[in-house]
């Protein structure tokens, strides 16, 4: 088994999309965003810097998996954790009918929800 995720909630009538994402060395990835349904991923190559609202940032290396519940939860990071190599991952995202697969979160909302973000690692 590669991943066991529970509990999950899939929007009624959801559609699913599976994509392969490739980040060049040091690419920060997609800005803070959310999905209308859950997303499940597998890191094929490299390492993903991953952070969901309320969870500490972590690095998921090749062969590792991740998931996010979707809905209101902000996905802060999904970028390449490596400065000297590319990273590739495959992700299946489920989308509520009539909703976009991915919605960016603006600065105003990030400020309002800052108290929900886990403490950042110190450099």
């Amino acid at each position: 088994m590669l991943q066991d995720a529970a509990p999950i909630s899939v929007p009624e009538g959801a559609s699913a999309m599976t994509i392969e994402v490739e980040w060049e060395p040091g690419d920060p990835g997609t800005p803070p965003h959310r999905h209308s349904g859950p997303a499940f991923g597998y890191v094929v190559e490299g390492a993903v810097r991953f952070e969901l609202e309320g969870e500490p940032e972590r690095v998921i290396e090749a062969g590792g998996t991740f998931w996010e519940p979707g809905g209101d939860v902000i996905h802060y990071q999904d970028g390449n954790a490596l400065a000297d190599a590319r990273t590739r991952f495959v992700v299946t995202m489920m989308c509520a009918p009539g909703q976009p697969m991915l919605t960016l979160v603006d600065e105003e909302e990030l400020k309002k929800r800052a108290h929900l973000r886990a403490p950042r690692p110190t450099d």
Side-chain angles (χ1 to χ4, degrees):
M1 178 185 329
L2 294 175
Q3 183 177 67
D4 182 20
I8 64 168
S9 177
V10 178
E12 186 172 340
S15 61
M17 175 192 311
T18 300
I19 63 172
E20 181 178 31
V21 177
E22 184 173 318
W23 298 127
E24 293 301 316
D27 191 321
T30 307
H33 63 277
R34 61 173 51 98
H35 300 281
S36 61
F40 303 89
Y42 175 79
V43 180
V44 177
E45 174 184 1
V48 172
R49 186 171 311 284
F50 187 84
E51 180 188 1
L52 288 179
E53 188 171 66
E55 296 180 8
E57 174 185 304
R58 65 187 193 268
V59 173
I60 304 163
E61 297 181 350
T65 63
F66 59 88
W67 85 284
E68 57 186 285
D72 193 44
V73 176
I74 295 174
H75 185 176
Y76 286 98
Q77 296 187 67
D78 66 1
N80 189 344
L82 306 175
D84 59 351
R86 70 181 179 171
T87 288
R88 289 186 310 125
F89 62 93
V90 173
V91 61
T92 298
M93 301 172 284
M94 297 182 185
C95 184
Q99 298 290 319
M101 191 65 72
L102 181 147
T103 304
L104 296 180
V105 178
D106 64 32
E107 287 297 322
E108 183 178 329
E109 185 176 2
L110 289 173
K111 287 178 187 173
K112 287 180 183 175
R113 295 173 69 111
H115 67 284
L116 299 172
R117 190 171 188 182
R120 308 285 297 129
T122 55
D123 295 282

